[in-house]
Amino acid sequence: MNTCNDYAVSRFDSIEKFKNDPDTLERYNDSVGQLIKNVLNNTDAAISGYIRYNPELKLSSDGIFWVKDSDKIIAHQPTAIEAYDKDDAEHVAWYYEPLKAKKPVWIDPYINKNLNDIKMISYVIPLFDNSGTAVGIIGMDIAMSRITAMVDEIKLYDTGYAFLCDSKGDMVYHIPYKRVLVCFRLYLSTINILFLQTNHALFNQYGDDCIKIKVDAFNHMIGSKAVDCCER
């Protein structure tokens, strides 16, 4: 997507040009949209790619949204960004998070309500003009199922396996449980799983919504016991 972003920036004229000449915006969509489609077609794990414009600009186009459908790539109706609250992560985190960060971001695993509740991650780059005005974003979505399939293939010796954590250290995929463990914060110091605390606990309290989880660390590692998570 960095290539798509560089191309989009190089082809960008000005917001005023887009506002006053819809044909210019249409040509921009055609050229940038075709590149996004080509990248999407050549990225196996990707399920959608897009360029979306700031709805506050009131442009003649909302942007381009390509979605893989079996062996085809089809144009999808762009999500109505203004219809959702800015904190609605399932619908619009992919739009607001990169604009807030003012840099490319990886969106942590989430359920996308715009695409049939597919679990995914997204890589999104914000677009700003020379004055710092938000033009929009350009990004791509990747199916979590492709990533977890790769995790499943990792084998360590006879009984070892891999699991997946997000950017905050929260576990999002674990083979024995195959579910998101949103209330666990995992402590890691190296690539190996270590007993980090003197009480041999792998997890600590996560936020105010969960109680401290006490587990037998060894049994957890070999997957012979389930771990209970209790709401207060």
Side-chain angles (χ1 to χ4, degrees):
M1 288 313 295
N2 290 326
T3 299
C4 293
N5 176 69
D6 292 343
Y7 182 75
V9 170
S10 70
R11 299 279 296 179
F12 177 77
D13 191 330
S14 69
I15 292 174
E16 289 306 313
K17 184 72 171 178
F18 281 175
K19 285 184 175 181
N20 298 329
D21 185 2
D23 289 340
T24 296
L25 180 56
E26 184 177 353
R27 289 192 296 271
Y28 183 81
N29 281 343
D30 288 343
S31 60
V32 176
Q34 186 59 52
L35 178 59
I36 294 174
K37 185 177 183 180
N38 291 341
V39 171
L40 182 61
N41 189 51
N42 289 284
T43 307
D44 289 341
I47 55 177
S48 58
Y50 40 84
I51 181 169
R52 294 299 312 277
Y53 303 120
N54 182 351
E56 295 178 1
L57 299 179
K58 307 297 183 184
L59 300 178
S60 59
S61 169
D62 293 328
I64 302 295
F65 187 14
W66 295 111
V67 177
K68 282 184 181 177
D69 182 13
S70 299
D71 59 344
K72 300 181 295 182
I73 296 179
I74 62 174
H76 195 282
Q77 178 66 35
T79 303
I81 296 171
E82 289 185 305
Y84 302 100
D85 187 91
K86 292 182 178 181
D87 296 325
D88 188 341
E90 294 178 329
H91 287 97
V92 290
W94 51 268
Y95 178 77
Y96 289 108
E97 286 193 23
L99 289 178
K100 181 179 180 180
K102 296 185 178 181
K103 63 180 182 180
V105 299
W106 281 99
I107 308 296
D108 285 337
Y110 67 104
I111 304 296
N112 191 318
K113 294 294 184 179
N114 305 313
L115 290 176
N116 301 318
D117 292 346
I118 297 176
K119 186 181 295 183
M120 63 177 62
I121 60 174
S122 301
Y123 179 68
V124 193
I125 305 171
L127 300 172
F128 296 93
D129 69 3
N130 292 332
S131 70
T133 300
V135 177
I137 55 90
I138 186 169
M140 180 173 288
D141 303 323
I142 299 173
M144 275 295 293
S145 60
R146 297 297 298 271
I147 298 173
T148 55
M150 290 188 289
V151 174
D152 286 345
E153 292 176 357
I154 299 173
K155 305 298 180 184
L156 302 175
Y157 301 104
D158 294 332
T159 61
Y161 54 83
F163 55 86
L164 189 64
C165 296
D166 65 17
S167 59
K168 300 185 293 296
D170 296 329
M171 189 183 296
V172 296
Y173 180 73
H174 192 289
I175 292 173
Y177 310 112
K178 294 186 183 295
R179 64 186 178 90
V180 177
L181 306 178
V182 294
C183 60
F184 293 162
R185 182 174 294 273
L186 183 63
Y187 280 85
L188 298 175
S189 63
T190 70
I191 193 170
N192 298 311
I193 304 173
L194 301 176
F195 296 147
L196 298 180
Q197 298 181 345
T198 56
N199 63 0
H200 290 185
L202 284 179
F203 303 101
N204 76 327
Q205 177 177 334
Y206 178 75
D208 295 328
D209 297 326
C210 300
I211 64 171
K212 183 174 180 63
I213 301 158
K214 298 178 179 179
V215 300
D216 182 297
F218 179 76
N219 281 332
H220 175 77
M221 288 172 65
I222 64 173
S224 61
K225 288 186 178 180
V227 179
D228 294 323
C229 173
C230 304
E231 297 289 340
R232 279 183 177 177

